Amino acid sequence: QVQLVESGGGSVQAGGSLRLSCTASEATYTMGWFRQPPGKEREGVAAMSTGGRITEYADSVKGRFTISRDNAKNTLYLQMNSLKPEDTAMYYCAAGTYLPISRLDYRRYNYWGQGTPVTVSS
């Protein structure tokens, strides 16, 4: 059972930056970040393949968010710049295996963290 622990969430003003981290209890495969705004559905934000060569981003965050991973530390990161109020959500880290679907599809993931909140004020 892989355990994922997120950190780095907080409150910032629009235009600010935050860096989320997710540490896994063991080596994992595909990893991704998801978010769930208040009263809305969960959505995929960014994901990365095992070796880090392939990344996927939601259109809403392209050019502002950057996903990265340090496999030596079993840690996934999400650098979030130029934050907007609509980025406000609970952010979750996830780890999964191979499925022939988008890495931003939650069905690909078996393990989830407890979430870290991000609040962006205008």
Side-chain angles (χ1 to χ4, degrees), residues 5 16 19 25 33 49 54 57 75 77 84 86 101 105 116:
V5 179
R19 188 193 195 202
S25 58
W33 289 98
S49 62
I54 301 173
Y57 292 94
T75 300
Y77 303 98
K84 304 175 180 180
E86 51 264 44
I101 56 177
D105 190 323
T116 186

Side-chain angles (χ1 to χ4, degrees), residues 20-100:
L20 306 184
S21 298
C22 170
T23 300
S25 58
E26 59 186 79
T28 58
Y29 300 101
T30 295
M31 295 189 76
W33 289 98
F34 289 74
R35 67 186 181 186
Q36 186 165 16
K40 296 185 179 180
E41 297 290 317
R42 174 177 43 185
E43 62 178 350
V45 174
M48 177 172 275
S49 62
T50 306
R53 289 181 297 174
I54 301 173
T55 58
E56 293 185 39
Y57 292 94
D59 288 342
S60 59
V61 306
K62 283 181 181 177
R64 301 189 298 122
F65 291 10
T66 303
I67 189 172
S68 61
R69 65 191 294 170
D70 184 339
N71 287 340
K73 297 180 180 179
N74 293 337
T75 300
L76 181 74
Y77 303 98
L78 184 68
Q79 178 66 44
M80 305 186 295
N81 298 329
S82 302
L83 283 162
K84 304 175 180 180
E86 51 264 44
D87 293 318
T88 294
M90 184 69 79
Y91 282 71
Y92 298 92
C93 171
T97 58
Y98 173 77
L99 281 176

